[in-house]
Amino acid sequence: MKFTGILITSLAATIMLSACSNDSNLATVGNKKISASEFDAYMKFKRIPTKDEKRKAAVLDQYLEREALAEAILNGDVLDAKLIEAELNEFRKEMLISRYFEKYLKEQVTDESTKIFYAANAKDYEIKKVQVAHILVRTRPDMDEAERKSKLTTLQEAYSKIKSGKEFAEIASTYSEDKISAKKGGDLGWLKEGAIDAKFSEVAFALKAGEVSDPFETPFGFHVVKLISEPKVIKRPFDAVKGNIRYQLRNMAKAAELKRLTASVKISKND
């Protein structure tokens, strides 16, 4: 392949291959010197074995031809050289930042560091749960006051029967408008603290086993709650949270390193 105005001067293959151990010039493409270290980096990037001398010589010829082709295009007037340069510079910065943090974060955030973080923040991975049953009489935001009072009266009637000795499960199956739990005597199973509603959680977690709450209201409607089993703390295993911890640690490490790197280089704007 030949290009007008582009001079490719290459050393003999035997000399070129033996010179790769030093940072000598292997060739000249136009005005650009191609060094042994530059070509070695290219070989490493392409994952081409360097022991195959014949292949190495062929790869060098291809490399020089592409260098020549790129220079010929840049020396022409078809493309905007400044625009190409700006695009290449942005790609260069993006690649540098990406490759740097890929390596940096791999070294900083390890299995060991995630285990240490898990141990040091054990309480953050504890879940408090209670087993509760409830009776719900639903309300809607557009209800008038008379309808709301009627709904509250219904719940108070159910509450009075429980206080008089009726079984909670029996009353729940009759009165509760939560039809799913009503079929199970109002049983909602084990609920995580704060999972349903802040007020509901506050009431449920304040009860003792077997105790029934006074009627109260949430955005869902009027409730009466019975605590079936007192709260228990369940610790989430490391394997279940290590992905989240790794993600958190990587974000923290990256933010700190970004701040350090940018602070290490002075930026001055000219008016």
Side-chain angles (χ1 to χ4, degrees), residues 12-151:
T14 54
I15 300 175
M16 177 277 292
L17 295 173
S18 63
C20 284
S21 59
N22 302 315
D23 199 16
S24 58
N25 289 331
L26 299 182
T28 302
V29 178
N31 295 320
K32 182 181 178 181
K33 303 290 185 182
I34 307 297
S35 68
S37 60
E38 179 184 341
F39 181 64
D40 281 348
Y42 172 78
M43 294 280 286
K44 185 177 180 181
F45 167 64
K46 287 294 187 179
R47 297 181 180 177
I48 299 172
T50 57
K51 293 181 180 180
D52 188 339
E53 304 292 352
K54 187 175 180 181
R55 186 180 179 190
K56 192 172 181 181
V59 171
L60 177 62
D61 287 340
Q62 295 170 6
Y63 180 80
L64 296 176
E65 286 182 358
R66 287 174 63 80
E67 283 287 336
L69 178 60
E71 185 165 333
I73 291 170
L74 283 175
N75 288 340
D77 56 4
V78 175
L79 299 178
D80 185 333
K82 289 294 183 184
L83 184 60
I84 293 294
E85 184 181 347
E87 187 175 348
L88 286 172
N89 191 36
E90 283 306 302
F91 176 76
R92 170 184 166 274
K93 287 184 284 188
E94 184 177 335
M95 185 193 68
L96 278 171
I97 294 168
S98 175
R99 295 286 174 83
Y100 176 82
F101 279 106
E102 181 182 344
K103 187 174 188 299
Y104 177 79
L105 294 176
K106 185 177 181 180
E107 294 172 351
Q108 292 294 313
V109 183
T110 62
D111 287 342
E112 186 63 26
S113 65
T114 56
K115 288 176 182 177
I116 291 171
F117 186 89
Y118 175 75
N121 298 273
K123 287 196 173 295
D124 293 341
Y125 303 103
E126 292 176 351
I127 300 172
K128 198 174 182 182
K129 289 185 174 183
V130 287
Q131 186 182 8
V132 296
H134 81 147
I135 297 169
L136 169 66
V137 178
R138 298 188 186 278
T139 58
R140 302 186 314 274
D142 60 347
M143 278 184 173
D144 59 31
E145 190 59 29
E147 194 173 3
R148 284 177 58 79
K149 285 183 178 179
S150 174
K151 290 283 188 178

Side-chain angles (χ1 to χ4, degrees), residues 199-212:
K199 178 64 177 177
F200 189 98
S201 183
E202 179 187 343
V203 171
F205 278 83
L207 296 172
K208 295 178 180 179
E211 190 176 1
V212 177

Side-chain angles (χ1 to χ4, degrees), residues 155-168:
L155 186 72
Q156 288 172 333
E157 181 181 313
Y159 178 68
S160 295
K161 289 186 177 183
I162 294 168
K163 297 300 284 183
S164 67
K166 294 287 186 180
E167 286 292 329
F168 188 96

Side-chain angles (χ1 to χ4, degrees), residues 222-237:
F222 296 109
H223 304 258
V224 170
V225 172
K226 178 181 179 180
L227 188 68
I228 299 173
S229 298
E230 290 192 1
K232 64 179 180 180
V233 176
I234 301 171
K235 187 173 183 178
R236 298 182 69 189

Side-chain angles (χ1 to χ4, degrees), residues 164-175:
S164 67
K166 294 287 186 180
E167 286 292 329
F168 188 96
E170 179 187 342
I171 301 303
S173 62
T174 303
Y175 282 86

